Amino acid sequence: EAQVTQNPRYLITVTGKKLTVTCSQNMNHEYMSWYRQDPGLGLRQIYYSMNVEVTDKGDVPEGYKVSRKEKRNFPLILESPSPNQTSLYFCASSLTVLSTEAFFGQGTRLTVV
Amino acid sequence: GENVEQHPSTLSVQEGDSAVIKCTYSDSASNYFPWYKQELGKRPQLIIDIRSNVGEKKDQRIAVTLNKTAKHFSLHITETQPEDSAVYFCAASIGYSTLTFGKGTMLLVSP
């Protein structure tokens, strides 16, 4: 089954404790991205990657890191999480950046206390 | 960068009525405009999209119109059903750049 898989689905952590949210797709998509969703603010892009070893900042990259060492995986790293990073995070992928559809993962709800 | 405004933020209709959600964008170079539906607790999913060389696109009960001159596009849902209740997001992108989403519209369809 074609899908985008994020882990974990839910995470509660403490301020400053490094964490990684994984994202994996099995559709051989070139383009992957991370969004955060906050009430009243919609979906805001954090980082994106057009292909392996090619990443770039989105609209709200501060406090986040990503890597794209292989095509299928695009982890989101929070080196020192803070409470303002409490949010619902979505990973998405599409065949290329020009493809018509972005497939979203099931989401990761992160709480930083 | 691109800015997408979406209205209304909430919309309540009776089953069978039509619903219209409107979005405006700022960058005239934007050329791709998708609409995503997000049911409660679920991931966003593409429901329809339109490119700048097309003025209208229809898929069963949903349609999208685009006015490039005015830089706005709209989602139209006819004969609404309770299962249409969800948050709807519009988005815009320019060529190789990335999607900029509106803030979403919560649609509630009452039986």
Side-chain angles (χ1 to χ4, degrees):
Chain A
E1 180 189 354
Q3 58 186 0
V4 179
T5 303
Q6 293 177 230
N7 280 297
R9 293 289 311 279
Y10 303 92
L11 179 60
I12 301 174
T13 191
V14 297
T15 299
K17 185 177 181 181
K18 181 180 178 179
L19 67 91
T20 299
V21 183
T22 63
C23 173
S24 180
Q25 50 90 8
N26 62 0
M27 297 171 278
N28 200 36
H29 284 175
E30 290 183 353
Y31 185 81
M32 299 184 74
S33 58
W34 276 102
Y35 296 87
R36 60 178 289 174
Q37 184 176 18
D38 301 290
L41 297 178
L43 290 155
R44 294 180 293 167
Q45 190 175 57
I46 304 170
Y47 268 94
Y48 63 93
S49 169
M50 292 196 184
N51 214 323
V52 176
E53 302 291 2
V54 181
T55 63
D56 208 347
K57 297 177 181 179
D59 296 322
V60 288
E62 295 78 20
Y64 304 94
K65 285 176 57 177
V66 293
S67 68
R68 188 87 181 277
K69 293 186 172 63
E70 19 174 24
K71 202 171 188 178
R72 63 183 294 128
N73 296 323
F74 189 45
L76 180 69
I77 303 155
L78 284 72
E79 294 270 3
S80 183
S82 62
N84 64 10
Q85 292 179 299
T86 292
S87 187
L88 177 60
Y89 292 86
F90 285 100
C91 177
S93 75
S94 55
L95 187 59
T96 70
V97 69
L98 294 180
S99 295
T100 55
E101 181 169 3
F103 292 86
F104 283 82
Q106 68 271 56
T108 296
R109 186 165 292 282
L110 172 66
T111 301
V112 184
V113 298
Chain B
E2 174 67 282
N3 182 50
V4 177
E5 299 283 340
Q6 183 172 347
H7 300 279
S9 56
T10 59
L11 179 59
S12 294
V13 301
Q14 292 291 121
E15 183 177 0
D17 289 349
S18 295
V20 181
I21 302 170
K22 299 181 179 181
C23 288
T24 61
Y25 59 99
S26 60
D27 195 325
S28 57
S30 288
N31 57 8
Y32 175 61
F33 308 92
W35 287 87
Y36 283 81
K37 175 183 180 182
Q38 185 179 27
E39 297 176 352
L40 188 63
K42 296 191 176 180
R43 71 193 79 188
Q45 290 190 296
L46 180 73
I47 54 170
I48 195 168
D49 58 12
I50 193 168
R51 293 200 177 270
S52 59
N53 58 346
V54 176
E56 183 174 358
K57 185 176 179 180
K58 191 173 182 180
D59 183 3
Q60 299 182 346
R61 295 186 298 107
I62 59 173
V64 58
T65 58
L66 171 65
N67 184 326
K68 287 173 57 181
T69 303
K71 290 190 285 188
H72 68 69
F73 56 112
S74 301
L75 177 71
H76 304 254
I77 305 174
T78 58
E79 300 172 22
T80 53
Q81 301 167 3
E83 51 265 38
D84 293 330
S85 295
V87 178
Y88 291 80
F89 292 98
C90 64
S93 71
I94 308 167
Y96 279 97
S97 77
T98 55
L99 287 173
T100 299
F101 284 86
K103 293 182 179 179
T105 296
M106 180 177 292
L107 173 65
L108 177 62
V109 181
S110 303

